[in-house]
Amino acid sequence: MRTVVERELELRLVLSPERSIPVPALLGYRSDDPYAVHVTFHIASEHPVHWTFARDLLVEGVFRPCGQGDVRIWPTRADGRGVVLMALSSPDGDALLEAPAAPVSAWLERTLRVVPPGAEGEQLGLDDELDQLLAQ
């Protein structure tokens, strides 16, 4: 049975050290895609922007800087509150997004209850498929 864990959140798109704009976002996790988190940003365009990256990256990024290349995540403080910064790079451009740490952490905890760390492979049924393949 597939389980979906979603959370709507307002992120901030950092334009400069002094200026940012709100960006509605949807954090998504599906037990049938257990290694990934999906983030959908609703920016001022016709179509939302979708990003998918490793759940482990976001879990680690809540506590310490991590990632390289297209997705980098690190915790910091802004206006006296804990935030998680996500630097996203693509051929279309770069974005720095700021997310409130507490709701992101709470959502991640929900995903970890659905599929505990290390149990992702069980969700994919790879062991069953391998057993069937080897039995033939």
Side-chain angles (χ1 to χ4, degrees):
M1 185 174 117
R2 180 174 112 153
T3 303
V4 177
V5 181
E6 292 183 332
R7 171 77 193 248
E8 289 187 14
L9 209 52
E10 184 175 281
L11 306 184
R12 303 217 45 99
L13 176 62
V14 179
L15 303 173
S16 73
E18 303 81 33
R19 189 159 171 257
S20 64
I21 57 172
V23 176
L26 178 67
L27 302 178
Y29 179 79
R30 301 189 316 258
S31 60
D32 63 345
D33 189 7
Y35 291 101
V37 293
H38 305 273
V39 186
T40 303
F41 303 104
H42 299 280
I43 54 176
S45 66
E46 194 174 322
H47 301 288
V49 175
H50 302 282
W51 275 80
T52 300
F53 50 88
R55 177 176 69 167
D56 289 350
L57 192 62
L58 190 53
V59 169
E60 186 177 345
V62 168
F63 297 102
R64 65 186 149 271
C66 66
Q68 53 190 341
D70 295 346
V71 179
R72 293 176 297 120
I73 301 172
W74 66 96
T76 190
R77 298 195 70 73
D79 301 324
R81 61 190 176 90
V83 296
V84 178
L85 290 175
M86 292 181 278
L88 307 176
S89 298
S90 78
D92 297 327
D94 300 334
L96 179 60
L97 292 140
E98 179 184 288
V104 170
S105 296
W107 174 78
L108 276 171
E109 284 177 22
R110 286 174 48 211
T111 76
L112 294 169
R113 282 197 296 274
V114 170
V115 180
E120 295 92 349
E122 298 165 24
Q123 296 298 311
L124 297 174
L126 295 178
D127 291 340
D128 296 339
E129 288 180 32
L130 191 57
D131 288 344
Q132 287 176 359
L133 191 64
L134 295 174
Q136 294 177 358

